Amino acid sequence: MDHTSPRPPRGFTRLSLGALSGLLAGCAAIAVAELVSAAVRPESGPVVAVGGAAIDRTPPSVKDWAIREFGTNDKLVLQLGILAVLAVLALALGMLATRWRLVGSLGVLVFGAVGALAALGRPDSTSFTDALPSLTGAVAGAALLYWLTGRLGHPGHPAPPRDAERSVPTPTLTPVTDEAGTGATGTGATGWDRRGFVLAATAAAAASAGAGLAGRALNGSQGQNAVASRKKVVLPVPESRAAPVPKGAALRMDGISPFMTSNGDFYRVDTALVVPKVDATSWRLRIHGDGVDRELNVSFDDLLRMPLIERNITLTCVSNEVGGPYVGNARWIGVRLADLLERCGVRPPSKGGPADQLVARSVDGMTIGTPVEDVMDGRDAMLALGMNGEPLPFEHGFPVRMLVPGLYGYVSACKWIEDIELTTFDAYDTYWVKRDWARKAPIKTQSRIDTPKPFARPKAGAVMVAGVAWAQHRGIEKVEVRVNDGPWEEARLATEDTSDTWRQWSYAWRATKGQATLTVRATDKSGTTQTEKRTRTIPDGASGWHSVVVTVD
Ligand SMILES: Nc1nc2c(c(=O)[nH]1)N[C@H]1C(S)=C(S)[C@@H](COP(=O)(O)O)O[C@H]1N2
Ligand SMILES: [Mo]
């Protein structure tokens, strides 16, 4: 049997085989990078690094659109998108390599360099080793592409006749034994080494799959210590318990958001493509900066031994559209942040302190800036350790996150926190502020119709309209509902828990046949009623009334 053909493949076949080579080289590069990232750190892999860099550079309007379209799946969509782009580029480089072999491989190296630069440019990158996954992956991919396309022979020249080949073996990169037993080695630089190509391609695909899966598994097991440290946490009984939720604060009604949001249902908004897994036993928090007389450096156990408070607090994201889902209410346990700051000698600006901004930094390089005045004005700002009776879930900031009632998450709720610096708003712009969001952002009074859903078809007669309204730290005073252009009718408000929690409301609507637009608006305890004027989420939160269109049958 003869597996080598004197005539190299041409035209479409040649391009297809080149494209296949490119794709295999791309897979090998990603797989090797994934494996190496397990040895460096999971965040240093090219897809995560490029994804993170993309998130950092995404204009707010595109980010808003992505969150709106894909919700919490936005990160998965982003990573799949990156892989799709890489696949197209790999196909193109492979085709290019059928003509200019070296150029294809150099192209792979260029993309490796891009991945390496992205990894080094991430805010949480502290070591040049972060470049290794992309670089080693690219070298592997480039070498494979060079080798595979070498099997295709040179397109320009016809192969020498078999006889000549037998008597004068031409040197090749890898000799292939002639199974026909002629004793000939080498197919000639211009021959098409079909068997070598198929073998190499299959081997490369198998090796890539193996390396990729091994890398995945190793990266997945990285957080073992963190997982173990979370399992060991026993939350003490807080010194200051939350008052029991008053009877009548939690309505039982189909379709309404439950008064307490479970951890599994709590919205998640952050820039982390890989959820940070922090080992609580080695975690430290440092408090330092302007006006700090005594720097503080505390461990997780130190915090557990301090007097703890337990509070129900409703958290809201500034990216929440009118009627959107990024709001949730949980019972948190933590240390009063003002207590810690006072221990360090920090005074708020109103008492002559030099720092007006508290910058929280997370292990993944996020920076979040909060007015020192707000943190120290008596509200229950805290470093939270517990959420709904358990240690914080990893997605929500384990081991410790910040919370400040009344402020949007991006200016108050740093997850995976590890550093607090007292500074000024003039001296430092945080992550989101650099991206055109407002420096200060108290939560805007908002209300939402949870039921009926948009385009629902309720039966004529009694229809329960219900939802939630929030104005954290001011409190909700009144909620009104309007049917079409009719008069505003007051909704029934559930009992208030605290001014820091949302309030459920309901309205018994006597629905008549036909299409109807239901609109809601809330008034907070400062006397301000939600404005009708619709604004975008950027720079400091959406305003406007939520409405739902239904058809009554
Ligand atoms: N480290 C870190 N903390 C973060 C963020 C982030 O991207 N990284 N996002 C903030 C934003 S915008 C919000 S709204 C809240 C969301 O908290 P949750 O995901 O627990 O609901 O976390 C805040 N803390
Ligand atoms: Mo947010």
Side-chain angles (χ1 to χ4, degrees):
M1 279 252 296
D2 187 8
H3 296 274
T4 60
S5 149
R7 215 177 300 137
R10 285 168 190 264
F12 181 72
T13 313
R14 187 172 179 82
L15 278 181
S16 309
L17 291 171
L20 175 64
S21 305
L23 200 59
L24 286 168
C27 289
I30 296 291
V32 167
E34 179 83 13
L35 189 57
V36 175
S37 78
V40 179
R41 51 186 205 107
E43 294 83 353
S44 62
V47 177
V48 173
V50 170
I55 289 176
D56 290 349
R57 285 164 186 78
T58 306
S61 56
V62 177
K63 192 171 305 188
D64 264 18
W65 166 84
I67 290 178
R68 217 163 37 241
E69 285 303 302
F70 308 118
T72 309
N73 285 330
D74 58 347
K75 298 197 180 75
L76 180 64
V77 172
L78 173 67
Q79 300 199 59
L80 291 176
I82 290 171
L83 286 174
V85 169
L86 282 179
V88 170
L89 291 168
L91 292 169
L93 284 177
M95 291 195 262
L96 205 65
T98 59
R99 200 166 176 103
W100 301 285
R101 209 168 146 205
L102 207 54
V103 173
S105 292
L106 285 177
V108 175
L109 292 179
V110 167
F111 285 109
V114 170
L117 287 177
L120 291 175
R122 299 304 337 281
D124 56 339
S125 172
T126 52
S127 161
F128 282 107
T129 55
D130 281 351
L132 284 179
S134 292
L135 294 183
T136 46
V139 168
L144 181 64
L145 182 59
Y146 191 80
W147 198 78
L148 279 176
T149 44
R151 302 304 89 200
L152 298 178
H154 198 280
H157 317 278
R162 298 287 298 176
D163 286 351
E165 202 182 311
R166 274 179 200 153
S167 48
V168 194
T170 351
T172 56
L173 203 65
T174 333
V176 177
T177 314
D178 183 348
E179 281 195 355
T182 57
T185 56
T187 60
T190 57
W192 154 221
D193 176 10
R194 184 181 296 154
R195 186 161 183 270
F197 182 88
V198 172
L199 280 179
T202 313
S208 298
L213 288 175
R216 265 284 132 109
L218 285 172
N219 270 334
S221 67
Q222 293 244 321
Q224 290 309 330
N225 292 343
V227 172
S229 76
R230 184 173 180 276
K231 280 212 185 91
K232 279 207 299 268
V233 174
V234 181
L235 292 172
V237 176
E239 189 181 271
S240 165
R241 307 277 323 243
V245 173
K247 248 200 257 147
L251 302 178
R252 299 254 216 110
M253 212 169 268
D254 281 347
I256 196 174
S257 306
F259 178 68
M260 298 301 294
T261 314
S262 67
N263 290 354
D265 290 341
F266 208 94
Y267 80 93
R268 176 184 161 205
V269 171
D270 55 58
T271 58
L273 280 174
V274 176
V275 175
K277 293 266 173 73
V278 180
D279 183 346
T281 55
S282 54
W283 175 89
R284 309 286 303 188
L285 171 73
R286 181 172 166 234
I287 303 182
H288 60 108
D290 302 342
V292 173
D293 298 335
R294 295 166 293 279
E295 274 198 23
L296 204 67
N297 191 312
V298 288
S299 70
F300 188 70
D301 281 340
D302 292 339
L303 292 184
L304 282 179
R305 279 191 292 268
M306 290 178 188
L308 300 178
I309 59 171
E310 177 189 55
R311 297 290 183 268
N312 299 333
I313 297 170
T314 301
L315 181 61
T316 311
C317 182
V318 71
S319 293
N320 197 44
E321 302 278 339
V322 172
Y326 300 131
V327 50
N329 182 44
R331 174 163 291 201
W332 311 87
I333 290 176
V335 177
R336 280 184 69 90
L337 187 48
D339 289 354
L340 284 174
L341 295 177
E342 279 157 14
R343 273 174 59 163
C344 302
V346 173
R347 284 168 297 134
S350 62
K351 299 212 173 101
D356 63 0
Q357 179 177 221
L358 180 156
V359 173
R361 283 194 178 76
S362 70
V363 301
D364 62 332
M366 174 55 62
T367 52
I368 285 184
T370 313
V372 176
E373 200 64 52
D374 291 350
V375 172
M376 301 187 83
D377 71 356
R379 73 182 80 191
D380 294 317
M382 65 162 102
L383 291 179
L385 321 165
M387 180 178 186
N388 289 327
E390 25 167 324
L392 293 178
F394 288 109
E395 290 81 1
H396 297 291
F398 181 83
V400 181
R401 77 175 305 166
M402 219 173 102
L403 285 174
V404 184
L407 307 184
Y408 284 119
Y410 87 103
V411 287
S412 68
C414 187
K415 307 193 272 189
W416 315 293
I417 192 171
E418 66 172 2
D419 186 281
I420 289 178
E421 180 179 354
L422 280 296
T423 178
T424 61
F425 280 101
D426 281 343
Y428 189 75
D429 281 342
T430 50
Y431 183 92
W432 299 103
V433 173
K434 286 192 188 106
R435 288 159 180 80
D436 299 336
W437 296 82
R439 287 195 171 77
K440 300 187 184 176
I443 295 172
K444 292 183 179 173
T445 301
Q446 266 297 345
S447 51
R448 183 177 76 192
I449 299 171
D450 288 338
T451 179
K453 294 274 173 248
F455 312 116
R457 303 192 73 107
K459 292 258 169 310
V463 172
M464 216 23 122
V465 183
V468 283
W470 59 89
Q472 288 92 317
H473 211 56
R474 298 182 296 281
I476 288 290
E477 175 70 27
K478 184 168 75 172
V479 169
E480 297 162 288
V481 175
R482 187 177 72 177
V483 182
N484 296 322
D485 292 326
W488 286 102
E489 307 272 1
E490 222 171 293
R492 189 169 75 87
L493 271 179
T495 312
E496 177 173 79
D497 178 20
T498 75
S499 67
D500 293 337
T501 56
W502 60 10
R503 263 178 109 165
Q504 297 173 319
W505 58 267
S506 69
Y507 173 75
W509 175 34
R510 290 214 305 221
T512 51
K513 274 190 193 240
Q515 185 172 300
T517 302
L518 302 164
T519 307
V520 66
R521 70 176 186 192
T523 302
D524 64 31
K525 288 194 168 161
S526 75
T528 313
T529 300
Q530 269 180 259
T531 162
E532 178 176 15
K533 190 171 170 263
R534 281 260 179 168
T535 61
R536 299 176 355 131
T537 56
I538 196 164
D540 63 354
S543 70
W545 298 336
H546 186 214
S547 58
V548 161
V549 178
V550 299
T551 307
V552 181
D553 285 330

